[in-house]
Amino acid sequence: MFRLDYKVLAMVLVLLPGTSSLAADQRLSTLIHNVSDQEQRYQNLEFYRQWKLQLKLPGSLLKQRDDTNLFRELQRDSRHVYQDGCFTIQEQISAVSLTGVKSSHKIRISYGGQQTRLVEDGVVRFEPGKDLNWPLRKPHVFLLDRLVEEPTLSRLLTSPTARGYFLSIAYETEEIINGLNCHRIRLETWVKGQQQHDFIRIWLAPERNWIPIRTEGYALGYSDSIPLQISEITAWHQPAPGLWFPHKIRDITHDEQSAAQGKTVISYESETSLTNISFSPKFDRKYFQEVPLPMEIGLQRDPTE
């Protein structure tokens, strides 16, 4: 079970003006403890995730950018199974480029406790250990894909680094979001030598198992007042009394260059739907019954694909 590292917490804690060290430490410690307790309820999990992205940048700005690498539409349909530290993620990716070219990609990544089995478009590869190039997704980090590798928010909040960034944490205030009382915290992120620290605001809802229900991401190289990304849970499942699971998530990405000019222009908008939720998942271990020898680790053709 995850345990709080109070030495690390004290090291990364940022104090707000007028907030005493003891009060700030107590607020964050209590918050992280509550998050950690609630995350235990989502350790074993299965669900389906459909994510659709659409380009919203006005045509006049598209002509100015002259970037043909943009996607007009992007969709990810995936199935996630997490059981006792093992996991399987199956994903079908479909895309339409700005020029109208259609493409698709099929991925399945499984971790059986000792090695990762990765299948891309029918070609299988075994790797030692856990491959985290595909972020693990659970409710407490649904809105934090860019920061989180492991599927625990509590670990992120007690770690000074994540994905190569340094982190500092501040408790800001309590606010009502969509009728729910929330605790707002601020995470600053930076790399070594960076003068301006980008930051993300996170609203956690105690009434929804301390799951973050809204985030706003700011990049100070563009704007300190216009968030480049806003993510929000807009609908919920309640699988059991006192147990909540997101149903709909909406993401808005603002155009960076417009934000630098003080203008709020949507470049992308996406919606995520989460369905078929089970807290009694069935992890399929058949893919790890025949473990390849070290010399055999590499590319093979998967007969089941």
Side-chain angles (χ1 to χ4, degrees), residues 231-244:
S231 300
E232 189 170 44
I233 297 174
T234 58
W236 296 84
H237 296 287
Q238 190 177 15
L243 188 63
W244 296 87

Side-chain angles (χ1 to χ4, degrees), residues 209-227:
N209 305 112
W210 288 87
I211 294 172
I213 69 169
R214 180 181 173 90
T215 61
E216 294 180 356
Y218 295 81
L220 300 192
Y222 295 100
S223 175
D224 61 359
S225 60
I226 299 176

Side-chain angles (χ1 to χ4, degrees), residues 266-279:
I266 296 177
S267 58
Y268 281 101
E269 188 170 345
S270 69
E271 182 172 275
T272 302
S273 296
L274 299 142
T275 57
N276 299 85
I277 300 151
S278 172
F279 288 82

Side-chain angles (χ1 to χ4, degrees), residues 92-134:
Q92 176 74 46
I93 305 171
S94 304
V96 180
S97 71
L98 189 60
T99 58
V101 177
K102 297 181 180 180
S103 60
S104 63
H105 191 44
K106 191 175 182 180
I107 299 170
R108 180 170 62 206
I109 179 171
S110 301
Y111 174 68
Q114 295 182 334
Q115 63 178 349
T116 296
R117 185 179 190 273
L118 177 63
V119 183
E120 294 187 76
D121 298 325
V123 177
V124 63
R125 183 173 74 250
F126 284 90
E127 297 178 355
K130 184 188 297 184
D131 187 322
L132 290 176
N133 288 322
W134 282 265

Side-chain angles (χ1 to χ4, degrees), residues 254-270:
H254 289 136
D255 179 53
E256 297 172 346
Q257 296 183 31
S258 299
Q261 299 170 5
K263 302 175 182 178
T264 303
V265 178
I266 296 177
S267 58
Y268 281 101
E269 188 170 345
S270 69

